[in-house]
Coordinates of all heavy atoms in Angstrom, one line a residue:
M846 N 81.3 85.5 -2.3 CA 82.2 86.2 -1.3 C 82.5 85.4 -0.1 O 83.5 85.6 0.6 CB 81.5 87.5 -0.9 CG 81.4 88.6 -1.9 SD 83.0 89.4 -2.3 CE 83.5 90.0 -0.7
L847 N 81.6 84.4 0.2 CA 81.8 83.6 1.4 C 83.2 83.0 1.5 O 83.8 83.0 2.6 CB 80.7 82.6 1.5 CG 80.6 81.8 2.8 CD1 80.5 82.8 4.0 CD2 79.5 80.8 2.8
R848 N 83.7 82.5 0.4 CA 85.0 81.8 0.5 C 86.2 82.9 0.6 O 87.3 82.5 0.9 CB 85.3 80.9 -0.6 CG 85.4 81.6 -2.0 CD 85.4 80.6 -3.1 NE 85.5 81.3 -4.3 CZ 86.4 81.0 -5.2 NH1 87.3 80.1 -5.0 NH2 86.4 81.7 -6.4
H849 N 85.9 84.2 0.5 CA 86.9 85.2 0.6 C 86.8 86.0 1.9 O 87.5 87.0 2.0 CB 86.8 86.1 -0.6 CG 87.0 85.5 -1.9 ND1 88.2 85.0 -2.4 CD2 86.1 85.2 -2.9 CE1 88.0 84.4 -3.6 NE2 86.8 84.6 -3.9
T850 N 86.0 85.5 2.8 CA 85.8 86.2 4.0 C 85.9 85.2 5.2 O 85.7 84.0 5.0 CB 84.4 86.9 4.1 OG1 83.4 86.0 3.9 CG2 84.3 88.0 3.1
A851 N 86.1 85.7 6.4 CA 86.2 84.9 7.6 C 85.5 85.6 8.7 O 85.5 86.9 8.8 CB 87.6 84.6 7.9
G852 N 84.9 84.9 9.6 CA 84.3 85.5 10.8 C 83.1 86.4 10.4 O 82.3 86.1 9.5
R853 N 83.1 87.5 11.0 CA 82.0 88.4 10.9 C 82.0 89.3 9.6 O 81.1 89.9 9.2 CB 82.0 89.3 12.1 CG 80.9 90.3 12.3 CD 81.0 91.0 13.6 NE 80.3 92.3 13.6 CZ 79.1 92.4 14.0 NH1 78.4 91.4 14.5 NH2 78.6 93.6 14.0
A854 N 83.1 89.3 8.9 CA 83.3 90.1 7.7 C 82.3 89.9 6.7 O 81.8 90.8 6.1 CB 84.7 89.9 7.1
Y855 N 81.8 88.6 6.4 CA 80.8 88.4 5.4 C 79.5 89.1 5.8 O 78.9 89.7 5.0 CB 80.6 86.9 5.3 CG 79.6 86.5 4.2 CD1 79.9 86.5 2.9 CD2 78.2 86.3 4.5 CE1 79.0 86.2 1.9 CE2 77.3 86.1 3.6 CZ 77.7 86.0 2.2 OH 76.7 85.8 1.3
D856 N 79.1 88.9 7.0 CA 77.9 89.6 7.5 C 78.0 91.1 7.4 O 77.0 91.8 7.0 CB 77.6 89.2 8.9 CG 77.3 87.7 9.1 OD1 76.8 87.1 8.1 OD2 77.5 87.2 10.2
E857 N 79.1 91.7 7.7 CA 79.3 93.1 7.6 C 79.2 93.6 6.1 O 78.6 94.6 5.8 CB 80.7 93.5 8.2 CG 80.8 93.4 9.7 CD 82.2 93.5 10.2 OE1 83.2 93.4 9.4 OE2 82.3 93.7 11.4
L858 N 79.8 92.8 5.2 CA 79.7 93.2 3.8 C 78.3 93.1 3.3 O 77.8 94.0 2.5 CB 80.7 92.3 3.0 CG 82.2 92.6 3.1 CD1 83.0 91.5 2.5 CD2 82.5 93.9 2.4
A859 N 77.6 92.0 3.7 CA 76.2 91.9 3.2 C 75.3 93.0 3.8 O 74.5 93.6 3.1 CB 75.7 90.5 3.7
W860 N 75.6 93.4 5.0 CA 74.8 94.5 5.7 C 75.1 95.8 4.9 O 74.1 96.5 4.7 CB 75.3 94.6 7.2 CG 74.4 95.5 8.0 CD1 73.2 95.2 8.6 CD2 74.7 96.8 8.3 NE1 72.8 96.3 9.3 CE2 73.7 97.3 9.1 CE3 75.8 97.7 8.0 CZ2 73.7 98.6 9.6 CZ3 75.8 99.0 8.5 CH2 74.7 99.4 9.3
L861 N 76.3 96.1 4.6 CA 76.7 97.3 3.9 C 76.1 97.3 2.5 O 75.5 98.3 2.0 CB 78.2 97.5 3.8 CG 78.9 97.9 5.0 CD1 80.4 97.7 4.9 CD2 78.5 99.3 5.4
A862 N 76.1 96.1 1.8 CA 75.6 96.0 0.4 C 74.1 96.3 0.4 O 73.6 97.0 -0.6 CB 75.8 94.7 -0.2
E863 N 73.3 95.9 1.4 CA 71.9 96.2 1.5 C 71.6 97.7 1.6 O 70.6 98.1 1.1 CB 71.3 95.5 2.7 CG 71.2 94.0 2.5 CD 70.7 93.3 3.8 OE1 70.4 94.0 4.8 OE2 70.6 92.1 3.8
R864 N 72.5 98.4 2.2 CA 72.2 99.8 2.4 C 72.8 100.7 1.4 O 72.5 101.9 1.3 CB 72.8 100.2 3.8 CG 71.8 99.7 4.9 CD 72.6 99.3 6.2 NE 71.6 98.7 7.1 CZ 71.2 97.5 7.0 NH1 71.6 96.7 6.1 NH2 70.3 97.0 7.9
G865 N 73.7 100.2 0.5 CA 74.3 101.0 -0.6 C 74.9 102.3 -0.1 O 74.6 103.3 -0.7
P866 N 75.8 102.3 0.9 CA 76.3 103.6 1.4 C 77.2 104.4 0.4 O 77.4 105.6 0.6 CB 77.1 103.2 2.6 CG 77.5 101.8 2.3 CD 76.4 101.2 1.5
L867 N 77.6 103.8 -0.7 CA 78.5 104.5 -1.6 C 77.7 105.1 -2.8 O 78.2 105.7 -3.7 CB 79.6 103.6 -2.2 CG 80.6 103.1 -1.1 CD1 81.6 102.2 -1.7 CD2 81.3 104.3 -0.5
R868 N 76.4 104.8 -2.8 CA 75.6 105.3 -3.9 C 75.4 106.9 -3.8 O 75.3 107.4 -2.7 CB 74.2 104.7 -3.8 CG 74.2 103.3 -4.2 CD 72.7 102.8 -4.3 NE 72.8 101.3 -4.4 CZ 72.0 100.5 -3.7 NH1 71.1 101.0 -2.9 NH2 72.1 99.2 -3.9
A869 N 75.5 107.5 -5.0 CA 75.2 108.9 -5.1 C 74.4 109.1 -6.3 O 74.7 108.5 -7.3 CB 76.5 109.7 -5.1
R870 N 73.4 110.0 -6.3 CA 72.6 110.2 -7.4 C 73.4 110.8 -8.6 O 74.0 111.8 -8.5 CB 71.5 111.2 -7.1 CG 70.4 110.6 -6.3 CD 69.2 111.5 -6.1 NE 68.4 111.0 -5.1 CZ 67.5 111.7 -4.4 NH1 67.4 113.0 -4.7 NH2 66.8 111.2 -3.5
G871 N 73.3 110.0 -9.7 CA 73.9 110.5 -11.0 C 75.4 110.5 -11.0 O 76.0 110.9 -12.0
T872 N 76.1 110.1 -9.9 CA 77.5 110.1 -9.9 C 78.0 108.7 -9.5 O 77.6 108.1 -8.6 CB 78.0 111.1 -8.8 OG1 77.4 112.4 -9.1 CG2 79.5 111.2 -8.8
R873 N 79.0 108.3 -10.3 CA 79.5 107.0 -10.1 C 80.7 107.1 -9.1 O 81.6 107.9 -9.2 CB 80.0 106.4 -11.4 CG 80.4 105.0 -11.4 CD 80.7 104.6 -12.8 NE 81.4 103.3 -12.8 CZ 81.7 102.6 -13.8 NH1 81.4 103.0 -15.0 NH2 82.3 101.4 -13.7
P874 N 80.8 106.2 -8.1 CA 81.9 106.2 -7.1 C 83.2 106.0 -7.8 O 83.3 105.2 -8.7 CB 81.6 105.1 -6.1 CG 80.1 104.8 -6.3 CD 79.8 105.1 -7.7
V875 N 84.2 106.7 -7.4 CA 85.6 106.6 -7.9 C 86.6 106.5 -6.8 O 86.5 107.2 -5.8 CB 85.9 107.9 -8.7 CG1 87.4 107.8 -9.2 CG2 85.0 108.1 -9.9
I876 N 87.5 105.5 -6.9 CA 88.6 105.4 -5.9 C 89.5 106.6 -6.0 O 90.1 106.8 -7.1 CB 89.3 104.1 -6.0 CG1 88.3 102.9 -5.7 CG2 90.5 104.0 -5.0 CD1 88.9 101.5 -5.9
R877 N 89.7 107.3 -5.0 CA 90.6 108.5 -5.0 C 92.0 108.2 -4.5 O 93.0 108.8 -4.9 CB 90.0 109.7 -4.3 CG 88.8 110.2 -4.9 CD 88.4 111.5 -4.4 NE 87.3 112.0 -5.1 CZ 86.7 113.1 -4.7 NH1 87.1 113.8 -3.7 NH2 85.6 113.5 -5.4
D878 N 92.1 107.3 -3.5 CA 93.4 107.0 -2.9 C 93.3 105.6 -2.2 O 92.2 105.2 -1.8 CB 93.7 108.0 -1.9 CG 95.1 107.9 -1.3 OD1 96.0 107.4 -2.0 OD2 95.4 108.4 -0.2
I879 N 94.4 104.9 -2.2 CA 94.4 103.6 -1.5 C 95.7 103.5 -0.7 O 96.7 104.2 -1.0 CB 94.3 102.4 -2.4 CG1 95.4 102.4 -3.4 CG2 93.0 102.3 -3.1 CD1 95.5 101.2 -4.3
G880 N 95.8 102.7 0.3 CA 97.0 102.5 1.1 C 96.8 101.3 2.0 O 95.7 100.7 2.0
Y881 N 97.9 100.9 2.6 CA 97.9 99.7 3.4 C 98.9 99.8 4.5 O 99.9 100.6 4.5 CB 98.1 98.4 2.6 CG 99.5 98.3 2.1 CD1 100.4 97.6 2.8 CD2 99.9 98.9 0.9 CE1 101.7 97.4 2.3 CE2 101.2 98.8 0.4 CZ 102.1 98.1 1.1 OH 103.4 97.9 0.6
Y882 N 98.8 98.9 5.5 CA 99.7 98.8 6.6 C 99.8 97.3 6.9 O 98.8 96.6 7.0 CB 99.2 99.5 7.8 CG 99.9 99.2 9.1 CD1 101.1 99.7 9.4 CD2 99.3 98.4 10.1 CE1 101.8 99.5 10.6 CE2 99.9 98.2 11.3 CZ 101.2 98.7 11.5 OH 101.8 98.4 12.7
V883 N 101.1 96.8 7.0 CA 101.3 95.4 7.4 C 101.3 95.4 8.9 O 102.2 95.8 9.6 CB 102.6 94.9 6.8 CG1 102.8 93.5 7.2 CG2 102.6 95.0 5.3
A884 N 100.2 94.8 9.4 CA 100.0 94.8 10.9 C 100.9 93.7 11.5 O 101.4 93.9 12.7 CB 98.5 94.5 11.2
R885 N 101.1 92.7 10.8 CA 102.0 91.6 11.2 C 102.2 90.7 10.0 O 101.4 90.8 9.1 CB 101.5 90.8 12.5 CG 100.2 90.1 12.2 CD 99.8 89.2 13.4 NE 98.5 88.7 13.2 CZ 98.1 87.8 12.4 NH1 98.9 87.2 11.5 NH2 96.8 87.4 12.3
P886 N 103.2 89.8 10.0 CA 103.2 88.9 8.9 C 101.9 88.1 8.8 O 101.4 87.6 9.8 CB 104.4 87.9 9.3 CG 105.3 88.8 10.2 CD 104.3 89.6 11.0
G887 N 101.3 88.1 7.6 CA 100.1 87.4 7.4 C 98.8 88.2 7.7 O 97.7 87.7 7.6
A888 N 99.0 89.5 8.0 CA 97.8 90.4 8.2 C 98.1 91.8 7.7 O 99.1 92.4 8.0 CB 97.6 90.5 9.7
V889 N 97.2 92.2 6.8 CA 97.3 93.5 6.2 C 96.0 94.3 6.4 O 94.9 93.8 6.3 CB 97.5 93.4 4.6 CG1 97.6 94.7 3.9 CG2 98.8 92.6 4.3
E890 N 96.2 95.6 6.8 CA 95.0 96.5 6.9 C 95.1 97.5 5.8 O 96.2 98.1 5.6 CB 95.0 97.2 8.3 CG 94.8 96.1 9.4 CD 94.9 96.7 10.8 OE1 95.2 97.9 10.9 OE2 94.6 95.9 11.7
A891 N 94.1 97.6 5.0 CA 94.1 98.5 3.8 C 92.9 99.4 3.9 O 91.9 99.2 4.6 CB 93.9 97.6 2.6
F892 N 93.0 100.5 3.1 CA 92.0 101.5 3.1 C 91.9 102.1 1.7 O 92.8 102.0 0.9 CB 92.2 102.7 4.1 CG 93.3 103.6 3.6 CD1 93.0 104.7 2.7 CD2 94.6 103.4 3.9 CE1 94.0 105.5 2.3 CE2 95.6 104.3 3.5 CZ 95.3 105.3 2.6
A893 N 90.7 102.6 1.4 CA 90.4 103.3 0.2 C 89.6 104.6 0.5 O 88.7 104.5 1.3 CB 89.7 102.4 -0.8
R894 N 89.9 105.7 -0.2 CA 89.1 106.9 -0.1 C 88.3 106.9 -1.4 O 88.9 106.8 -2.5 CB 89.9 108.1 0.0 CG 90.4 108.4 1.5 CD 90.9 109.8 1.6 NE 92.3 109.9 1.3 CZ 93.3 109.6 2.1 NH1 93.1 109.1 3.3 NH2 94.6 109.7 1.7
I895 N 87.0 106.9 -1.3 CA 86.1 106.8 -2.4 C 85.2 108.0 -2.5 O 84.6 108.4 -1.6 CB 85.2 105.5 -2.2 CG1 86.0 104.3 -2.0 CG2 84.2 105.4 -3.4 CD1 85.3 103.1 -1.5
G896 N 85.3 108.6 -3.7 CA 84.5 109.9 -4.0 C 83.3 109.6 -4.8 O 83.4 108.7 -5.7
A897 N 82.2 110.2 -4.5 CA 81.0 110.2 -5.4 C 80.4 111.6 -5.3 O 79.9 112.0 -4.3 CB 80.1 109.1 -4.8
G898 N 80.6 112.3 -6.4 CA 80.1 113.7 -6.4 C 81.0 114.5 -5.4 O 82.2 114.4 -5.4
D899 N 80.3 115.2 -4.5 CA 81.0 116.0 -3.5 C 81.2 115.2 -2.2 O 81.7 115.8 -1.2 CB 80.3 117.3 -3.3 CG 78.9 117.2 -2.8 OD1 78.4 116.0 -2.7 OD2 78.3 118.2 -2.4
Q900 N 80.8 114.0 -2.2 CA 81.0 113.1 -1.0 C 82.3 112.3 -1.1 O 82.7 111.9 -2.2 CB 79.9 112.1 -0.8 CG 78.6 112.7 -0.4 CD 77.6 111.6 -0.2 OE1 77.7 110.5 -0.7 NE2 76.6 111.9 0.6
V901 N 83.0 112.2 0.0 CA 84.2 111.3 0.1 C 84.0 110.4 1.3 O 83.6 110.9 2.4 CB 85.5 112.1 0.3 CG1 86.7 111.2 0.4 CG2 85.7 113.0 -0.9
R902 N 84.2 109.1 1.1 CA 84.0 108.1 2.1 C 85.3 107.4 2.3 O 86.1 107.2 1.3 CB 82.9 107.1 1.8 CG 81.5 107.7 1.7 CD 80.9 107.7 3.1 NE 79.6 108.2 3.0 CZ 78.5 107.6 3.5 NH1 78.6 106.5 4.1 NH2 77.3 108.2 3.4
A903 N 85.5 106.8 3.4 CA 86.7 105.9 3.6 C 86.2 104.5 3.9 O 85.2 104.3 4.6 CB 87.5 106.4 4.8
M904 N 86.9 103.6 3.3 CA 86.6 102.2 3.5 C 87.9 101.5 4.0 O 88.9 101.7 3.4 CB 86.1 101.5 2.2 CG 85.8 100.1 2.4 SD 85.1 99.4 0.8 CE 84.5 97.9 1.4
A905 N 87.8 100.8 5.1 CA 88.9 100.0 5.6 C 88.6 98.6 5.7 O 87.4 98.2 6.0 CB 89.3 100.6 7.0
F906 N 89.6 97.7 5.5 CA 89.4 96.3 5.7 C 90.7 95.6 6.1 O 91.7 96.2 5.9 CB 88.8 95.7 4.4 CG 89.5 95.9 3.2 CD1 90.5 95.0 2.7 CD2 89.3 97.1 2.4 CE1 91.2 95.3 1.5 CE2 90.0 97.3 1.3 CZ 90.9 96.4 0.8
R907 N 90.5 94.5 6.7 CA 91.7 93.7 7.1 C 91.7 92.4 6.4 O 90.7 91.7 6.3 CB 91.6 93.4 8.6 CG 92.8 92.7 9.2 CD 92.6 92.5 10.7 NE 93.7 91.7 11.3 CZ 94.8 92.2 11.8 NH1 95.0 93.5 11.9 NH2 95.7 91.4 12.4
L908 N 92.8 92.0 5.9 CA 93.1 90.7 5.2 C 94.0 89.9 6.0 O 95.0 90.4 6.5 CB 93.7 90.9 3.8 CG 92.8 91.8 2.9 CD1 93.6 92.1 1.6 CD2 91.5 91.1 2.5
E909 N 93.7 88.6 6.2 CA 94.5 87.7 7.0 C 94.8 86.5 6.2 O 93.9 86.0 5.5 CB 93.9 87.4 8.3 CG 93.8 88.6 9.3 CD 93.4 88.2 10.7 OE1 93.5 87.0 11.1 OE2 92.9 89.1 11.4
Q910 N 96.0 86.0 6.2 CA 96.4 84.8 5.5 C 96.1 83.6 6.4 O 96.6 83.5 7.5 CB 97.8 84.9 5.1 CG 98.2 83.8 4.1 CD 99.6 84.0 3.6 OE1 100.5 84.5 4.3 NE2 99.9 83.7 2.3
G911 N 95.4 82.6 5.9 CA 95.0 81.5 6.7 C 96.1 80.4 6.6 O 97.0 80.5 5.8
P912 N 95.9 79.3 7.3 CA 96.8 78.1 7.3 C 96.9 77.6 5.9 O 98.0 77.0 5.5 CB 96.2 77.1 8.2 CG 95.2 77.8 9.0 CD 94.8 79.1 8.3
D913 N 95.9 77.7 5.0 CA 95.9 77.3 3.6 C 96.6 78.2 2.7 O 96.6 78.1 1.5 CB 94.5 76.9 3.2 CG 93.6 78.2 3.2 OD1 94.1 79.2 3.6 OD2 92.5 78.0 2.8
L914 N 97.2 79.3 3.3 CA 97.9 80.4 2.6 C 97.0 81.3 1.7 O 97.5 82.1 1.0 CB 99.0 79.8 1.7 CG 100.1 79.1 2.5 CD1 101.2 78.6 1.6 CD2 100.7 79.9 3.6
R915 N 95.7 81.1 1.8 CA 94.7 82.0 1.1 C 94.4 83.2 2.0 O 94.3 83.1 3.2 CB 93.4 81.2 0.8 CG 93.7 80.1 -0.2 CD 92.5 79.3 -0.5 NE 91.4 80.2 -0.8 CZ 90.1 79.7 -1.0 NH1 89.9 78.5 -0.9 NH2 89.2 80.6 -1.3
W916 N 94.3 84.3 1.3 CA 94.0 85.6 2.0 C 92.5 85.7 2.1 O 91.7 85.5 1.1 CB 94.6 86.8 1.2 CG 96.0 86.8 1.3 CD1 96.9 86.2 0.5 CD2 96.8 87.5 2.3 NE1 98.2 86.5 0.9 CE2 98.2 87.3 2.0 CE3 96.5 88.3 3.4 CZ2 99.2 87.8 2.8 CZ3 97.5 88.9 4.2 CH2 98.8 88.6 3.9
R917 N 92.0 86.1 3.3 CA 90.5 86.4 3.5 C 90.3 87.7 4.2 O 91.1 88.1 5.0 CB 90.0 85.2 4.3 CG 89.9 83.9 3.6 CD 89.3 82.8 4.4 NE 89.3 81.5 3.7 CZ 90.3 80.7 3.6 NH1 91.4 81.0 4.2 NH2 90.2 79.6 2.9
C918 N 89.2 88.3 3.9 CA 88.8 89.5 4.5 C 88.2 89.1 5.9 O 87.3 88.3 6.0 CB 87.8 90.3 3.7 SG 87.2 91.8 4.4
T919 N 88.8 89.7 7.0 CA 88.3 89.4 8.3 C 87.5 90.5 9.0 O 86.9 90.3 10.0 CB 89.4 88.9 9.2 OG1 90.4 90.0 9.3 CG2 90.1 87.6 8.7
A920 N 87.6 91.7 8.4 CA 86.9 92.9 9.0 C 86.8 93.9 7.9 O 87.6 94.1 7.0 CB 87.7 93.5 10.2
V921 N 85.7 94.7 8.0 CA 85.4 95.8 7.0 C 84.7 96.9 7.7 O 83.9 96.6 8.6 CB 84.6 95.3 5.8 CG1 83.3 94.8 6.2 CG2 84.6 96.3 4.7
E922 N 85.1 98.1 7.4 CA 84.4 99.3 8.0 C 84.2 100.3 6.9 O 85.1 100.5 6.0 CB 85.2 99.9 9.1 CG 85.1 99.2 10.4 CD 85.6 100.0 11.6 OE1 85.6 101.2 11.5 OE2 86.2 99.4 12.5
L923 N 83.1 101.0 7.0 CA 82.9 102.1 6.1 C 82.3 103.2 6.9 O 81.4 103.0 7.7 CB 81.9 101.7 5.0 CG 81.5 102.7 3.9 CD1 82.8 102.9 3.0 CD2 80.5 102.1 3.0
G924 N 82.7 104.5 6.7 CA 82.2 105.6 7.5 C 80.7 105.6 7.5 O 80.0 105.2 6.5
G925 N 80.1 105.9 8.6 CA 78.6 105.9 8.8 C 78.2 104.9 9.8 O 79.0 104.3 10.5
P926 N 76.9 104.5 9.7 CA 76.4 103.6 10.7 C 77.1 102.2 10.6 O 77.4 101.8 9.5 CB 74.9 103.4 10.3 CG 74.6 104.6 9.4 CD 75.9 105.0 8.8
R927 N 77.2 101.6 11.7 CA 77.8 100.2 11.8 C 76.8 99.2 12.0 O 75.7 99.5 12.6 CB 78.9 100.2 12.9 CG 80.1 101.0 12.6 CD 81.1 100.7 13.7 NE 82.3 101.5 13.4 CZ 83.4 101.4 14.1 NH1 83.4 100.7 15.2 NH2 84.4 102.1 13.8
M928 N 77.1 98.0 11.6 CA 76.2 96.9 11.8 C 76.1 96.6 13.3 O 77.1 96.6 14.0 CB 76.8 95.6 11.1 CG 75.9 94.4 11.2 SD 76.5 93.1 10.2 CE 77.0 92.0 11.6
P929 N 74.9 96.4 13.8 CA 74.7 96.2 15.2 C 75.4 94.9 15.6 O 75.5 93.9 14.9 CB 73.2 96.0 15.4 CG 72.6 96.6 14.2 CD 73.6 96.5 13.1
Q930 N 76.0 94.9 16.8 CA 76.7 93.7 17.4 C 75.6 92.6 17.7 O 74.6 93.0 18.3 CB 77.5 94.1 18.6 CG 78.6 95.0 18.4 CD 79.8 94.3 17.6 OE1 80.0 93.1 17.7 NE2 80.4 95.1 16.7
A931 N 76.0 91.4 17.5 CA 75.1 90.3 17.8 C 75.1 90.1 19.3 O 76.1 90.2 20.0 CB 75.5 89.0 17.2
V932 N 73.9 89.8 19.9 CA 73.8 89.6 21.3 C 74.0 88.1 21.6 O 73.3 87.3 21.0 CB 72.5 90.1 21.9 CG1 72.3 89.8 23.3 CG2 72.3 91.6 21.6
S933 N 74.9 87.7 22.5 CA 75.2 86.3 22.8 C 74.3 85.8 23.9 O 74.0 86.5 24.8 CB 76.6 86.1 23.2 OG 77.4 86.6 22.1

């Protein structure tokens, strides 16, 4: 994933993966809806509504096109607790 992310997004994805926020007992998560918004040329913000049993979560992420024309995830959010901000 490292080559597909930029900035803090890799740390955010790793933090979310450790916690498994989309897990539900006996129910497999299913994408219910997706959408996107073109924030500016070279930047897209996308979302997915994910259902697992009677739970529905929203996941949002931002993709930005770099100087090499490759798209990278630069931010990710999932409803629930957020990764603590690093202290400088």
Side-chain angles (χ1 to χ4, degrees):
M846 290 287 304
L847 188 56
R848 67 187 179 126
H849 300 291
T850 58
R853 187 173 156 93
Y855 181 84
D856 294 333
E857 291 169 345
L858 286 168
W860 188 84
L861 286 168
E863 288 174 0
R864 283 146 187 79
L867 295 176
R868 289 188 192 134
R870 285 190 192 157
T872 305
R873 191 172 167 175
V875 176
I876 295 175
R877 295 198 176 170
D878 189 24
I879 58 173
Y881 70 94
Y882 167 73
V883 179
R885 62 171 171 74
V889 175
E890 294 177 354
F892 74 87
R894 280 193 275 278
I895 303 164
D899 59 354
Q900 289 184 335
V901 177
R902 297 272 183 126
M904 179 177 191
F906 53 95
R907 182 177 176 99
L908 301 172
E909 294 186 22
Q910 193 173 33
D913 60 359
L914 302 182
R915 293 178 52 186
W916 289 88
R917 290 181 180 84
C918 180
T919 58
V921 63
E922 279 192 34
L923 185 66
R927 290 186 177 180
M928 186 175 107
Q930 293 290 328
V932 178
S933 304

